[in-house]
Amino acid sequence: MKNIGSSSFLSIIKDNGIYGIVGAIIFAVVIPIVLAVVLGGKRKSKPRGVPVQVGGESGFAMRNARSAKLVEVPWEGATTLASLFEQSCKRHQQAKCLGTRKLIAKDFVTASDGRKFEKLHLGEYQWETYSQIFDRVCNFASGLLKIGHDVDTRAAIFSESRAEWLIAFQGFFRQNITVVTIYASLGDDALIHSLNETQVSTLVCDSKQLKKLAAISSSLPSIKNIIYFDDEDSANDASANQKISEWKISSFTEVEVLGKNNPAQPNLPIKKDIAVIMYTSGSTGLPKGVMMSHGNIVATAAAVMTVIPQIGNKDLYLAYLPLAHVFELAAETVMLTAGAGIGYGSALTLTDTSNKIKKGTKGDASMLQPTLMAAVPAILDRVRDGVLKKVDEKGGIVKKLFNIAYKRRLVAIQGSWFGAWGLETLLWDALVFKKIRSILGGDIRFMLCGGAPLSGDTQRFINICMGAPIGQGYGLTETCAGAAFSEADDTSVGRVGPPLPCCYIKLVSWEEGGYTTSDKPLPRGEVVVGGASVTAGYYNNDLKTEEVYKVDESGMRWFYTGDIGRFHADGCLEIIDRKKDIVKLQHGEYVSLGKVEAALMSSNFVENIMVHADPFNNFCVALVVPSRQSLEEWANAAGIKYNDFSELCDKTEAKNEVQQSLIKAAKTAKLEKFEIPAKIHLLPDPWTPESGLVTAALKLKREQLKAKFKGELEKLYK
Ligand SMILES: *[C@@H]1O[C@H](CO)[C@@H](O)[C@H](O)[C@H]1NC(C)=O
Ligand SMILES: *[C@@H]1O[C@H](CO)[C@@H](O)[C@H](O)[C@H]1NC(C)=O
């Protein structure tokens, strides 16, 4: 994704010639400025959330301004995922439902250091309609009974996102079977723990997982059936595993065919039945299984539907994030509710320049030309860095023009209503932004963003360069993704919008941390979510459930998020801190690790950073993964000799240089002296979800990082 900013808009500039540009600038900039001064005015902020009295004496909360009653279903009768899907298939029979790219060829290229990389040549999207998918879902559900799945036991899906993932998912619900989901990137221990804890008897997986499963089969006593997704490699993988005689191994197609020939009556769930036990890669210890009812997921989908303007049949959604993550699961459920088409891709094949895409062939986005897309902030940050880097490389007039265009659009979005549409927009689009937009297919009209806080800068950048609003969502697995969601016409940054119409949000004072609801100018406190999307609790862990879920006098269920937020006057929530990430130093000062890290990330040298503080010292320290390119450029310019990157990271000069840039970033962000890391350690290897050091949404896993780099951290305190 780093290379996303492919070819720039240079060619357009050449076509139009220099006179064209000057003319365009006069036309596009000067005239609108004059008009804006004459006609301009600020947009008024309208209330998006309003206070509501819920649950007893202390019961002040915020609700969505558009809906006085909590939204629980998208339409009457759609109370479970099974009924919602069946009814949606009836409504949208012939519409595109799920699309998959056909593999045309698979090549291997060898890099200069001898490592081999897989390159894919993928074809057009091949679509199945809603009614075709519905038939496959019914067949799969019937096939399950035929292969002997005991409907009183659970099933699990352990795979990357693909059409069959959703088909299996919906198939299980037609027999009221609870589905356990597990991140494909979790380690063996977490996998064994999740499958054993929930006593899963049927496991659906990628064929490439079969080998891994065989190796740990003795630790999976509850498993009876394995269903693997057929693909070109699966013949080999499956035959290698016939040895595991205690498992019945079937291909997905076999199950579908069996079901087609032996149709069974459905056994549909009700609203409060548990649909999913989702294992989240919590930041400490073993993963916890969050129990989501059908009603929870349906409520979130119904609420998010009301936020995406005019969503429907015409929309195409590019699906590439893991479905085992609640954010993607909720987003795809929204698409199915709306009758939109879901085209599957992957993070490694997203754009024409993505790692796994064969040179000269199309990435998922340019092939699908989606109208809707979801993203996590880390991905959008990289898009932004990629585009800016390209602009910088081109330099000269390209850079100047980009900067003018960017500033003009920024002014238009932030202030006067005039510039927000019309000729000027068209001109800048044609001149500058069209090429950038084509990276994601050119038709994006709305982006959903969630999983972690998005920086204001990046939000603006994507707004302007992609020409589409970003709906920033805030929610956790425990609130079934749904909690708050920013609205398409809200042009502010850094906030996560008002509560979704499926829930209420209240703030609860945290005196110890210095956040209270009587704070001025805005009330602050721990974010607590109540309502239809609040899940049933953690599987097999009442202690933890009782700690963070509470039921009030009125029977409303609330989840205590551990996040610190504040409400703006218009009822929009802003997340400002996290309870766990605030550490009290020896002399009593509080350091908010997340806040300091966000500030220091603005240094060019920082690819990733973890700030560490402990109560026995009066200063903090940091582990830094430096940006390889920036550090090497600096080293070359400074004439520093080194054999490899890890040697460079060990050099005192490199540490000093990075440290100086951190101090500068800290000063710009007005951090206190005790917040600036007094010592740092540079680590050459990036932190990835596969290494278990960050979550799938690329959030730091502090406990794992602390454990892995215990020695390094101890040295920093010596
Ligand atoms: C599976 O869970 C049972 C308790 O339900 C426990 O006794 C057993 O040790 C677990 N096995 C593994 C492999 O974790
Ligand atoms: C669905 O399954 C659960 C758990 O097996 C069970 O408690 C519930 O009664 C079932 N629902 C229906 C409608 O049969």
Side-chain angles (χ1 to χ4, degrees):
M1 287 290 301
K2 270 253 146 147
N3 302 325
I4 193 155
S6 72
S7 72
S8 189
F9 35 85
L10 188 63
S11 57
I12 298 180
I13 291 166
K14 281 192 185 133
D15 296 346
N16 291 342
I18 190 75
Y19 299 107
I21 294 171
V22 175
I25 292 175
I26 292 175
F27 196 56
V29 180
V30 181
I31 295 175
I33 289 177
V34 172
L35 281 173
V37 170
V38 177
L39 301 168
K42 286 259 173 196
R43 266 174 273 178
K44 285 243 156 59
S45 74
K46 62 176 183 191
R48 298 172 190 277
V50 295
V52 56
Q53 188 76 29
V54 278
E57 74 288 353
S58 63
F60 156 80
M62 201 69 85
R63 70 158 169 86
N64 192 291
R66 285 179 288 118
S67 169
K69 215 174 142 267
L70 286 187
V71 168
E72 293 189 23
V73 288
W75 58 78
E76 214 179 314
T79 53
T80 66
L81 284 168
S83 57
L84 180 142
F85 182 65
E86 180 165 356
Q87 290 162 23
S88 196
C89 289
K90 291 233 166 72
R91 291 174 169 212
H92 305 290
Q93 294 187 20
Q94 298 314 316
K96 286 177 181 171
C97 184
L98 306 182
T100 304
R101 298 185 71 183
K102 199 178 148 86
L103 179 69
I104 294 175
K106 193 193 252 181
D107 295 345
F108 287 92
V109 297
T110 311
S112 51
D113 62 358
R115 282 186 302 165
K116 276 203 160 125
F117 293 96
E118 192 182 70
K119 299 281 175 186
L120 304 178
H121 180 189
L122 297 166
E124 305 245 343
Y125 273 90
Q126 305 192 309
W127 290 96
E128 287 173 285
T129 64
Y130 271 81
S131 69
Q132 285 167 331
I133 294 294
F134 184 66
D135 289 344
R136 289 186 69 186
V137 165
C138 294
N139 292 342
F140 181 79
S142 305
L144 279 174
L145 303 187
K146 195 68 192 167
I147 62 165
H149 175 83
D150 170 0
V151 291
D152 291 327
T153 61
R154 303 188 182 86
I157 309 181
F158 182 60
S159 152
E160 281 158 19
S161 303
R162 54 188 286 161
E164 287 75 16
W165 200 112
L166 264 195
I167 294 172
F169 190 63
Q170 287 292 342
F172 287 122
F173 297 148
R174 289 193 71 74
Q175 292 298 335
N176 183 28
I177 296 162
T178 299
V179 178
V180 175
T181 65
I182 308 152
Y183 283 158
S185 62
L186 284 186
D188 288 354
D189 287 349
L191 178 68
I192 292 170
H193 168 74
S194 324
L195 295 175
N196 185 46
E197 186 173 58
T198 49
Q199 291 290 296
V200 163
S201 74
T202 294
L203 175 63
V204 177
C205 66
D206 290 327
S207 61
K208 60 172 183 278
Q209 306 286 0
L210 288 171
K211 267 203 199 84
K212 168 173 175 166
L213 291 168
I216 56 172
S217 64
S218 62
S219 307
L220 302 173
S222 64
I223 301 276
K224 300 211 162 51
N225 297 295
I226 302 273
I227 302 172
Y228 65 89
F229 296 132
D230 329 53
D231 50 42
E232 79 283 4
D233 296 335
S234 59
N236 310 332
D237 291 336
S239 59
N241 284 279
Q242 294 303 340
K243 289 176 220 117
I244 320 165
S245 55
E246 57 270 43
W247 289 349
K248 181 168 177 169
I249 300 179
S250 327
S251 77
F252 197 81
T253 317
E254 278 164 11
V255 178
E256 285 185 279
V257 171
L258 271 177
K260 191 166 185 196
N261 298 331
N262 302 276
Q265 281 299 312
N267 168 26
L268 297 173
I270 56 170
K271 184 174 152 187
K272 68 171 190 4
D273 286 332
I274 301 300
V276 179
I277 301 177
M278 178 171 281
Y279 277 85
T280 66
S281 55
S283 41
T284 55
L286 285 169
K288 299 188 293 274
V290 175
M291 297 184 286
M292 300 174 176
S293 70
H294 282 272
N296 294 149
I297 306 177
V298 167
T300 294
V304 175
M305 276 276 285
T306 68
V307 181
I308 304 175
Q310 281 136 29
I311 181 172
N313 273 166
K314 290 202 181 64
D315 280 304
L316 288 177
Y317 171 80
L318 176 53
Y320 67 99
L321 294 171
L323 267 165
H325 191 288
V326 70
F327 175 52
E328 180 67 15
L329 186 68
E332 291 190 33
T333 306
V334 170
M335 301 306 146
L336 293 179
T337 310
I342 301 175
Y344 286 91
S346 79
L348 294 174
T349 55
L350 205 59
T351 69
D352 298 354
T353 53
S354 290
N355 279 342
K356 266 196 163 180
I357 288 291
K358 187 177 167 193
K359 231 179 160 165
T361 69
K362 281 190 170 173
D364 305 326
S366 48
M367 187 61 93
L368 182 66
Q369 300 187 294
T371 58
L372 304 170
M373 211 177 135
V376 292
I379 288 186
L380 296 181
D381 286 343
R382 284 183 207 172
V383 171
R384 169 174 178 262
D385 295 347
V387 171
L388 284 179
K389 208 175 112 205
K390 281 284 168 195
V391 170
D392 252 356
E393 278 170 10
K394 299 261 170 176
I397 183 136
V398 172
K399 191 170 166 185
K400 285 207 182 84
L401 197 58
F402 177 86
N403 288 337
I404 297 173
Y406 190 82
K407 282 204 189 101
R408 287 297 302 151
R409 294 299 300 133
L410 191 62
V411 171
I413 288 184
Q414 281 172 335
S416 87
W417 54 268
F418 179 80
W421 51 275
L423 269 182
E424 182 183 359
T425 308
L426 290 180
L427 263 157
W428 288 133
D429 283 356
L431 221 51
V432 176
F433 299 120
K434 199 166 164 228
K435 274 278 167 96
I436 300 179
R437 283 171 201 168
S438 69
I439 296 168
L440 292 178
D443 284 342
I444 297 283
R445 66 176 189 88
F446 191 83
M447 279 191 136
L448 299 107
C449 183
L454 177 66
S455 82
D457 276 357
T458 302
Q459 185 178 342
R460 270 283 176 265
F461 191 88
I462 299 289
N463 279 158
I464 290 174
C465 291
M466 290 299 152
I470 297 185
Q472 207 191 154
Y474 165 74
L476 302 93
T477 311
E478 288 87 342
T479 64
C480 196
F485 207 100
S486 65
E487 297 177 344
D489 63 345
D490 184 356
T491 56
S492 66
V493 293
R495 315 188 307 164
V496 294
L500 274 167
C502 59
C503 64
Y504 301 129
I505 297 182
K506 64 180 176 185
L507 298 177
V508 172
S509 294
W510 185 41
E511 306 282 349
E512 201 197 344
Y515 293 113
T516 70
T517 52
S518 49
D519 287 349
K520 297 275 175 301
L522 300 173
R524 304 187 297 180
E526 180 174 3
V527 177
V528 178
V529 183
S533 54
V534 176
T535 55
Y538 301 110
Y539 183 78
N540 208 12
N541 195 342
D542 292 344
L543 216 64
K544 185 76 193 161
T545 302
E546 278 156 29
E547 193 186 312
V548 287
Y549 292 83
K550 306 226 157 69
V551 179
D552 68 18
E553 306 87 285
S554 71
M556 175 80 66
R557 212 174 150 70
W558 297 90
F559 175 71
Y560 285 66
T561 63
D563 288 326
I564 303 294
R566 62 178 184 189
F567 269 121
H568 288 254
D570 61 354
C572 286
L573 181 67
E574 181 186 5
I575 304 299
I576 51 177
D577 216 328
R578 174 129 189 100
K579 251 170 132 173
K580 266 208 310 239
D581 294 348
I582 299 175
V583 183
K584 195 174 178 182
L585 291 180
Q586 203 177 21
H587 298 328
E589 304 98 338
Y590 282 98
V591 178
S592 162
L593 304 174
K595 182 186 89 179
V596 175
E597 283 156 2
L600 302 182
M601 280 297 276
S602 68
S603 153
N604 271 341
F605 285 118
V606 177
E607 172 91 22
N608 217 332
I609 182 167
M610 182 180 82
V611 174
H612 178 74
D614 86 54
F616 306 108
N617 282 289
N618 57 5
F619 60 91
C620 45
V621 299
L623 298 174
V624 180
V625 180
S627 151
R628 184 165 182 157
Q629 196 194 359
S630 306
L631 197 62
E632 288 189 336
E633 268 170 19
W634 163 79
N636 293 341
I640 296 190
K641 299 256 172 309
Y642 59 96
N643 290 318
D644 59 17
F645 188 55
S646 79
E647 191 187 320
L648 177 59
C649 287
D650 279 338
K651 295 226 179 248
T652 312
E653 297 98 313
K655 273 181 222 170
N656 287 343
E657 183 66 18
V658 174
Q659 174 81 341
Q660 287 310 314
S661 86
L662 294 184
I663 292 173
K664 218 171 118 200
K667 289 205 168 128
T668 312
K670 301 205 171 57
L671 295 187
E672 301 288 341
K673 186 148 186 294
F674 63 82
E675 293 177 303
I676 307 173
K679 292 189 194 168
I680 62 170
H681 182 87
L682 302 184
L683 295 162
D685 296 322
W687 300 338
T688 60
E690 291 72 37
S691 65
L693 298 175
V694 292
T695 69
L698 302 178
K699 279 193 248 185
L700 299 181
K701 289 196 191 171
R702 292 187 193 279
E703 296 306 316
Q704 278 82 342
L705 283 160
K706 268 192 257 174
K708 171 138 194 199
F709 301 112
K710 193 160 173 267
E712 285 82 353
L713 284 170
E714 276 167 6
K715 267 193 221 135
L716 288 173
Y717 277 111
K718 284 221 176 92

